[in-house]
Amino acid sequence: MTPLEYDRAFIWHPYASLKDAPPVRMARAASGVEIELEDGRRLVDAVSSWWCVAHGHNHPAIVEAIRRQSEKMCHVMFGGFTHEPAVVLAEKLASFAPSGLDRVFFADSGSISVEVAAKMAIQYQTALGHPERRRILALKGGYHGDTSLCMALSDPDGMHTLFKGIMTSHFFADKPSCPFRGEWVPSCARSLANAIDEHGAEIAAIVCEPVFQAANAMNFYNPQYLREMRRLCDECGALLIFDEIAAGFHRTGPRWAQDHASVTPDIMTVGKALTGGHMTLAATLASARVADTISNGRPSAFMHGPTYMANPLACAAACASLDIFASSNYATNVKRIEDAFAKRLMPLKSHPNIVDVRVLGAAAVVEVERLPSQADISDVIDAHNVWLRPFCNFIYAMPPLVSDERTIDRISLAIMDLAGRPPGCAPSDPDFHE
Ligand SMILES: *Cc1c(COP(=O)(O)O)cnc(C)c1O
């Protein structure tokens, strides 16, 4: 058996079957914006390997930070120990985050950081004497991860419908319909206000992906929505949780997606680009009010603690990544990426089979009636040497933030080629994931 044959027979890939799985490519190296295949071909990673490789693959400063930390200590349990990479990272994160979010819980993946955020909100309400506030209000079209509680907070008609009912059901407001650019229409937040009117006394927190609903909708919505959300939370005594795992770290332009609205949450989750895509790490940041209330409650301890919490290698990688964020001018480069995508892709809007084209920051989405066939997708990837991973009815790019104009042009040409291919037959086994 070749390694590829073994992989095909025995190893699950994300949201894939172990029978008739679409082919995977053998990657052997990666640097900058490119992934190198076994046969030496190099593909532009237009997906930033699921949105995390912000500074490019194998950034020398991050690789060096991991190497140096590995010589001292790869891991130590965080129960009863602390270490320099964790402390330095907590300080760097607090100064990088919106002010007031300086209490940190290190998680080992984005999903876990969302679970932690929801548990914090519930423990906070319990400590305040509101044990009846145990449910979360989330948005249709949202995505917050694949673990059980995260599934229960993601679009109820999205990729997790198979598991409906295994968790407490939470409350949902309509997907924000008011686009990022354009007039704010107050009725856009009506469903949110209605849900609070109806269930406010049971709600511990409201959670959303600020401005950019990614994996379930690829929807850029009006920042005013976040201000309404903040106001409604304050009125009803619910906490506000922003999941910045996809949209944070300049993906939509400014450092945080919430910066478009100048609204700050009580709890915020970060992941994906935190280590620049070099190690798995996420964090839940909370305000002093949230932390103090939990600490004054009973139990005083916050009840979560993963085995690999604050893994030193991952923290070292994140410290180096945050240094790069701090010393780079990504806001400017992301604007350049946005302009280049808009110039190339907006004209597709008038084409048949194309429902909409949206660009915000370093994220470009071509929504089609139906995706081309898997064979056409593969053909476009190979013809342009550009790695694309369309899903549902979205052809999209979220390239590394360091991408230059030539790279964006190459990605755009591949997307234009793909969007021009005929729609495939209705998928029998849809690839729902990002
Ligand atoms: C990817 C993602 C998650 C889950 O992160 P994992 O690291 O895959 O567990 C949660 N929320 C948002 C908004 C995401 O994009």
Side-chain angles (χ1 to χ4, degrees):
M1 250 187 195
T2 67
L4 267 178
E5 283 166 352
Y6 189 91
D7 178 284
R8 198 171 171 71
F10 293 106
I11 309 177
W12 265 297
H13 284 260
Y15 285 85
S17 165
L18 263 185
K19 196 177 138 231
D20 304 324
V24 295
R25 291 167 169 78
M26 187 70 84
R28 74 170 178 200
S31 68
V33 299
E34 291 180 326
I35 302 165
E36 186 182 307
L37 304 182
E38 184 102 289
D39 63 7
R41 281 196 309 137
R42 301 167 75 89
L43 305 183
V44 170
D45 186 356
V47 188
S48 299
S49 282
W50 271 341
W51 324 342
C52 55
V53 181
H55 323 293
H57 286 273
N58 271 47
H59 190 287
I62 302 178
V63 172
E64 176 62 13
I66 296 170
R67 192 190 62 73
R68 280 167 53 178
Q69 180 57 40
S70 73
E71 287 170 357
K72 289 187 270 184
M73 178 172 63
C74 290
H75 186 63
V76 66
M77 63 190 286
F78 211 50
F81 291 98
T82 191
H83 45 78
E84 191 180 317
V87 176
V88 173
L89 177 56
E91 288 182 311
K92 283 184 194 293
L93 256 181
S95 68
F96 202 73
S99 78
L101 296 171
D102 57 0
R103 311 296 154 102
V104 56
F105 188 102
F106 289 116
D108 34 13
S109 74
S111 300
I112 301 306
S113 72
V114 172
E115 301 260 345
V116 163
K119 285 170 71 173
M120 275 182 186
I122 290 166
Q123 220 176 306
Y124 166 90
Q125 299 290 1
T126 307
L128 277 186
H130 290 297
E132 73 287 357
R133 287 185 181 259
R134 297 181 88 70
R135 302 228 260 172
I136 313 276
L137 175 56
L139 302 185
K140 290 183 181 165
Y143 175 85
H144 297 289
D146 276 1
T147 56
S148 297
L149 180 52
C150 296
M151 290 197 291
L153 300 178
S154 299
D155 189 336
D157 302 313
M159 60 177 91
H160 300 129
T161 48
L162 182 64
F163 302 102
K164 244 183 198 170
I166 65 163
M167 289 292 289
T168 306
S169 60
H170 294 273
F171 301 118
F172 287 91
D174 291 345
K175 178 170 123 180
S177 56
C178 213
F180 182 83
R181 294 180 181 88
E183 287 272 303
W184 167 248
V185 182
S187 63
C188 177
R190 187 170 300 147
S191 146
L192 189 71
N194 288 346
I196 289 174
D197 278 348
E198 209 172 321
H199 308 290
E202 288 175 74
I203 293 175
I206 305 184
V207 63
C208 74
E209 297 159 275
V211 169
F212 178 18
Q213 293 188 295
N216 255 327
M218 294 312 239
N219 178 34
F220 305 124
Y221 62 90
N222 199 297
Q224 180 62 28
Y225 192 94
L226 302 178
R227 299 191 192 105
E228 300 294 322
M229 210 175 218
R230 178 75 266 183
R231 185 178 57 77
L232 290 165
C233 274
D234 293 343
E235 280 172 20
C236 98
L239 293 178
L240 181 57
I241 303 172
F242 283 163
D243 178 349
E244 289 262 12
I245 291 170
F249 294 112
H250 292 288
R251 181 52 64 185
T252 72
R255 188 182 285 179
W256 307 109
Q258 64 197 271
D259 296 346
H260 290 290
S262 306
V263 166
T264 308
D266 305 292
I267 300 174
M268 166 171 144
T269 57
V270 297
K272 291 201 164 101
L274 174 57
T275 66
H278 290 65
M279 302 278 302
T280 175
L281 185 71
T284 310
L285 307 179
S287 68
R289 177 168 64 104
V290 170
D292 290 347
T293 305
I294 291 174
S295 303
N296 292 330
R298 217 171 262 268
S300 161
F302 176 62
M303 300 305 281
H304 203 96
T307 307
Y308 279 93
M309 186 166 180
N311 171 257
L313 292 177
C315 288
C319 285
S321 170
L322 286 183
D323 287 346
I324 300 167
F325 276 116
S327 64
S328 306
N329 195 353
Y330 281 136
T332 305
N333 204 46
V334 166
K335 181 74 187 123
R336 244 180 250 135
I337 293 173
E338 179 181 274
D339 291 345
F341 271 137
K343 190 176 84 193
R344 287 284 195 177
L345 298 178
M346 280 305 177
L348 289 176
K349 257 192 180 183
S350 56
H351 289 209
N353 186 39
I354 289 178
V355 178
D356 193 22
V357 181
R358 308 185 275 277
V359 177
L360 179 64
V365 183
V366 176
E367 184 174 343
V368 293
E369 293 280 357
R370 206 188 299 152
L371 284 185
S373 68
Q374 191 58 50
D376 267 329
I377 295 171
S378 275
D379 187 55
V380 166
I381 291 167
D382 292 333
H384 296 262
N385 285 330
V386 170
W387 172 241
L388 296 169
R389 176 86 175 170
F391 68 101
C392 291
N393 48 343
F394 305 115
I395 299 170
Y396 78 94
M398 288 170 64
L401 306 181
V402 293
S403 301
D404 59 14
E405 212 153 316
R406 219 187 108 256
T407 302
I408 301 305
D409 274 349
R410 275 183 64 188
I411 295 171
S412 300
L413 289 173
I415 289 178
M416 288 154 73
D417 183 356
L418 187 56
R421 304 278 173 125
C425 49
S428 57
D429 186 15
D431 175 7
F432 267 123
H433 206 44
E434 303 127 279

